[in-house]
């Protein structure tokens, strides 16, 4: 059974086209070409799609341009979640790029994803993901309370 489309969380937000998203990522990442920005978007959203599950995945997909949403949701989530640093290392290994380049690409793409998602959805996404993702999204990394032994 397929999920039914949900109304957009922020109907007043103007939808962004893929071309607009790529231009914003190109500007944010200071990429020399639109193709390089598109490559960064594809790799980063694919990697995020392997980590993000549940309603947050569905809600984020609805905030993205259709083509970007398909890239995110086409990925089967990994069985074991990765920390933020693990995310960067895994993506570097998959793409053959250096961790520094992947970190740059991730920051450029996530800056736009952050704007599209809005603060409420971003907070839910960060709550679902393991430690280390807040910094990738340009947010302060707050320590999660550790369970106390009873």
């Amino acid at each position: 059974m397929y999920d039914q489309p949900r109304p957009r969380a922020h109907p007043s937000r103007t939808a962004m086209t893929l071309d607009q998203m790529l231009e914003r990522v190109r500007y944010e990442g200071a990429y020399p070409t639109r193709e390089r920005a598109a490559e960064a978007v594809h790799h980063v959203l694919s990697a995020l799609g392997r980590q993000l599950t549940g309603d947050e995945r569905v809600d984020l997909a609805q905030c993205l341009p259709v083509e970007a949403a398909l890239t995110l949701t086409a990925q089967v989530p990994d069985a074991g979640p990765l920390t933020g640093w693990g995310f960067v290392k895994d993506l570097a290994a998959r793409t053959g790029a250096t961790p520094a380049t992947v970190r740059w690409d991730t920051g450029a793409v996530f800056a736009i994803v952050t704007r599209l998602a809005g603060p409420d959805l971003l907070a839910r996404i960060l709550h679902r993901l393991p430690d280390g993702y807040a910094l990738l999204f340009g947010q302060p990394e707050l320590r999660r309370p550790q369970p106390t032994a009873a």
Side-chain angles (χ1 to χ4, degrees), residues 11-105:
S12 62
R13 267 182 221 236
T14 304
M16 184 181 288
T17 66
L18 182 63
D19 287 339
Q20 291 168 327
M21 182 181 191
L22 293 177
E23 282 306 313
R24 289 186 184 179
V25 169
R26 181 178 178 192
Y27 176 80
E28 189 73 32
Y31 297 116
T33 65
R34 186 172 181 272
E35 290 73 23
R36 178 63 184 93
E39 180 181 294
V41 167
H42 177 76
H43 289 310
V44 171
L45 289 181
S46 292
L48 183 59
R50 290 189 291 275
Q51 296 301 308
L52 193 58
T53 60
D55 289 341
E56 290 76 18
R57 177 182 169 113
V58 173
D59 292 346
L60 178 58
Q62 290 184 333
C63 295
L64 299 173
V66 172
E67 301 88 347
L70 291 173
T71 298
L72 177 82
T73 59
Q75 305 305 309
V76 175
D78 288 341
L82 299 172
T83 63
W85 177 237
F87 177 89
V88 170
K89 290 191 310 187
D90 180 66
L91 187 51
R94 288 176 186 263
T95 62
T98 66
T101 299
V102 168
R103 176 62 184 92
W104 183 270
D105 291 349

Side-chain angles (χ1 to χ4, degrees), residues 70-148:
L70 291 173
T71 298
L72 177 82
T73 59
Q75 305 305 309
V76 175
D78 288 341
L82 299 172
T83 63
W85 177 237
F87 177 89
V88 170
K89 290 191 310 187
D90 180 66
L91 187 51
R94 288 176 186 263
T95 62
T98 66
T101 299
V102 168
R103 176 62 184 92
W104 183 270
D105 291 349
T106 301
V109 174
F110 282 179
I112 306 310
V113 169
T114 296
R115 291 182 202 140
L116 290 171
D120 295 337
L121 178 54
L122 181 61
R124 290 177 32 224
I125 289 169
L126 292 176
H127 183 72
R128 177 167 292 273
L129 293 170
D131 289 339
Y133 282 87
L135 293 174
L136 296 177
F137 278 95
Q139 305 295 308
E141 183 75 46
L142 302 176
R143 291 192 74 147
R144 295 182 186 186
Q146 298 298 319
T148 57

